[in-house]
Every structure is written in C-alpha cells, then in structure tokens.
Amino acid sequence: MHRRVITFSKNAFLPLTTVCQNRCGYCCFRTPVEEGCVMPPDEAIRTLEASAALGCTEALFTFGERPGAVPGFSEMLGRLGYADILDYVYDLSLAAIEHGLLPHTNAGILTYEELGWLREVNASMGLMLETTADIPAHRNSPGKDPAVRIEMIENAGRLSIPFTTGILLGIGETADDREESLRVIADLHQRYGHIQEVIVQNFCPKPGTAMERAAVPGPDEIGAAIGLAREILPPDVAVQIPPNLADASRLIGCGVNDLGGVSPLTIDYVNPEHPWPQIDELRRIAGNAELRERLCIYPQYIEKGWYSPLLEPLIRQLAERITAPGQGTGA
C-alpha cells in the first residue's frame, strides 16, 4: 500500500488593503478608509524578500473586495500612484515572480476580463464560495451573493485557472446547505477540471462583530463536513483544512489531504489570534502520513501547462527544488 500523503505550501501572506465593500457579520479583517489601510510597496517588497530568503514559494495576495467602491479609498491608493487596486496587485505579482515567489491572488469578485488579465501573473487564484445559502451574515455584502460567486468560479474554469475555493462552517448555513455547496463545487470541477483544492473552514467568532457570540462548530461537526467533502468531491480535488483554526491532528483522519499555506514570517491576517503551526507541528499533525511540500499550483496543472509563459521558468525551478532530496518538507 502507498503511504498517505499530506501536502502544504510555504507562503507569504500580504494583505494589500483591509478596505472592503462587503460588511459580513463575522469579519474583523475589514476596516474603514484610514491611514495605513493600504500596504505600502516598500513593505510588500521587504516581505517578499524576507519570505523568499526563508524558502517560501508562494506570495498570497489578499485584500478586501472592490475597495475602490468605498468612498475615499481611491484617493488613498492614488498616493501610491495607482488608480485601481488590481493594477497594484499586478505589479506586486511581477515583483513576487522576480523574487522567486509564485503569486496566488484572492481578490473577491472579479470579472472574466479581470481574471484573464491577472492569470498572466498568477500561478493560481481563489475565492471561497462559503455557502450557497442566503444568510443574515451576508445581508450587507453584495459580493457574497452565491450566484455571483459561482459565476466567478465558473469563469475561472473557462480560463483554465488552477483554483481554490471552499465552504465556511457555522455562519448560519444548515447541513443541507453544506451538502449543496459541495455539490455545486463538484459540478463546476466536473465541467472545467480547475478546482485543485476545497477548504473546509470553521468560523471563529471575533470580538466586536455581529456574530461574536454565535455558536461555533465542534470537532465532530467539522469532521462530518470534511467527510462529506471527501465523499462528494472528485478524488483529484484536495480537501484542505486551515491547521491554525481547529484541532487538525484530530481531523486529519476524516479525509483531509492538504494543510494549506503556512508562513514562517507573516501572520494569518484574517484570523490574527490563531498563529500558524510551523513545520515540526505539521509533521506531528500528519502523523503516520508523509508530509510533502507543494507549490500553489498543483502538479497536475503544471503537467497540463495551465499557466502563462511568464511563469514557466519559476514554476519549473521551484518544482525541482521542493522535490529535491531533503527539501520536500522544508528541511
């Protein structure tokens, strides 16, 4: 029998802005337009340089959805010489590539044209579906309309973008809603073949948010959702859990085969109270399984050539590096 494999990616987390048009009832990431709400270019470059020196392979660019729709943001961004946040992430993606990191962008809702443009400088991209249900927590969040999110994931498939999505547990959805969400993701993958991983993420209450006293999913509930994901999703789609948000060692046996991106330098800015586990802890979580480092673009998409020519030399170089003897687990 083959030894079970659990994968992970070493990344740098760069939150380019905390301004967002959505007002989700569980989010502490979003802030108003104010000084410091945009990461300056010099800070971003320092983060890229330091992360590359620590052996990271992925630059995770995350920011609030459509911040330009929030009054005052465009003026703030204009101080950096940019009219649109997508122009900024494009240039920083080029900088990441120059420093030896593969860009992966989570930008919220993007159009087909925007996805195609960012594909030129991104090895993979992502958008959490979260849920197909209409829930109170998303009442003031136009970008969380399930139909809008499904359309974007579908557009990513049309463009052959290796894609990450997922569900969020405990935000007001039911067990039936979770099943429906997973079946929608499975159907999208069966049509386009682009979903490389699905995150099963548990909601964590944040002080000062509308849902700060909401009930949280317990380990059995999370484990059942993981098992459901493994049952519904095709075998070539990885089931991922964030190892800093739940007892991953207890959940690993439910069908998990990926532990996501972890950083030796930057924090989880969406869940800042939950530090990333480091490599030794990931080995403990993996137990008897083989812990194997991966890139943000999975091997099957490298083989298919689902990347722009600009990215090919770096993808080949990093793929060779992480598979070299003694390098596969960040040793």
Side-chain angles (χ1 to χ4, degrees):
M1 292 181 64
H2 294 290
R3 187 180 176 196
R4 186 179 174 204
V5 173
I6 307 292
T7 53
F8 76 101
S9 169
K10 288 177 71 174
N11 72 10
F13 193 145
L14 294 95
L16 298 189
T17 184
T18 49
V19 176
C20 183
Q21 72 165 351
N22 296 325
R23 295 171 176 265
C24 301
Y26 45 80
C27 178
C28 73
F29 180 78
R30 179 190 174 276
T31 66
V33 176
E34 59 190 4
E35 291 295 330
C37 69
V38 182
M39 177 180 277
D42 58 346
E43 181 181 345
I45 297 300
R46 285 197 303 270
T47 301
L48 294 172
E49 290 174 344
S51 298
L54 290 169
C56 295
T57 62
E58 172 187 354
L60 170 60
F61 293 111
T62 297
F63 43 99
E65 182 174 293
R66 297 295 176 193
V70 181
F73 178 80
S74 294
E75 290 78 6
M76 191 74 70
L77 187 65
R79 296 181 193 176
L80 303 180
Y82 290 94
D84 190 285
I85 190 71
L86 299 185
D87 294 324
Y88 188 32
V89 73
Y90 190 99
D91 282 358
L92 286 178
S93 295
L94 289 173
I97 295 164
E98 291 172 5
H99 285 86
L101 299 169
L102 293 171
H104 172 100
T105 296
N106 289 333
I109 298 300
L110 298 171
T111 66
Y112 181 91
E113 291 74 22
E114 289 165 344
L115 281 166
W117 181 58
L118 288 177
R119 184 188 186 278
E120 298 172 7
V121 293
N122 275 261
S124 57
M125 299 180 70
L127 177 78
M128 290 287 282
L129 174 57
E130 294 195 8
T131 181
T132 53
D134 181 12
I135 55 173
H138 288 162
R139 189 168 292 138
N140 298 310
S141 302
K144 295 300 176 75
D145 180 338
V148 172
R149 296 179 92 74
I150 291 167
E151 181 183 16
M152 179 179 150
I153 299 169
E154 185 170 17
N155 282 337
R158 291 191 177 107
L159 289 162
S160 298
I161 297 172
F163 209 76
T164 295
T165 188
I167 60 173
L168 189 54
L169 311 179
I171 55 174
E173 83 292 352
T174 66
D176 286 345
D177 294 330
R178 293 172 189 169
E179 180 175 350
E180 180 185 62
S181 300
L182 290 165
R183 292 197 183 281
V184 165
I185 293 169
D187 177 65
L188 287 166
H189 181 71
Q190 284 162 357
R191 282 190 282 151
Y192 299 102
H194 67 308
I195 307 294
Q196 56 182 4
E197 57 192 10
V198 170
I199 305 169
V200 179
Q201 181 172 332
N202 51 298
F203 151 73
C204 297
K206 304 291 190 297
T209 65
M211 292 182 66
E212 65 177 329
R213 292 185 176 83
V216 299
D220 291 343
E221 188 177 355
I222 300 170
I226 294 168
L228 185 64
R230 189 63 285 162
E231 177 186 332
I232 291 173
L233 297 170
D236 60 328
V237 176
V239 174
Q240 178 189 126
I241 57 168
N244 61 321
L245 301 185
D247 185 354
S249 59
R250 181 172 173 180
L251 297 169
I252 204 79
C254 299
V256 173
N257 55 349
D258 186 76
L259 295 172
V262 298
S263 178
L265 179 69
T266 55
I267 66 169
D268 179 351
Y269 289 93
V270 178
N271 298 281
E273 72 278 19
H274 296 283
W276 299 118
Q278 296 306 306
I279 304 300
D280 286 346
E281 177 63 11
L282 293 182
R283 289 195 185 99
R284 187 192 68 79
I285 291 169
N288 294 327
E290 176 189 350
L291 182 67
R292 184 182 298 172
E293 186 176 353
R294 61 162 175 82
L295 303 181
C296 64
I297 176 172
Y298 276 48
Q300 62 265 37
Y301 298 101
I302 297 176
E303 292 172 8
K304 291 179 180 179
W306 280 26
Y307 48 77
S308 73
L310 175 67
L311 290 162
E312 181 168 9
L314 181 57
I315 288 174
R316 298 295 179 186
Q317 174 191 331
L318 292 177
E320 184 176 347
R321 190 181 90 191
I322 66 170
T323 55
Q327 299 300 312
T329 56

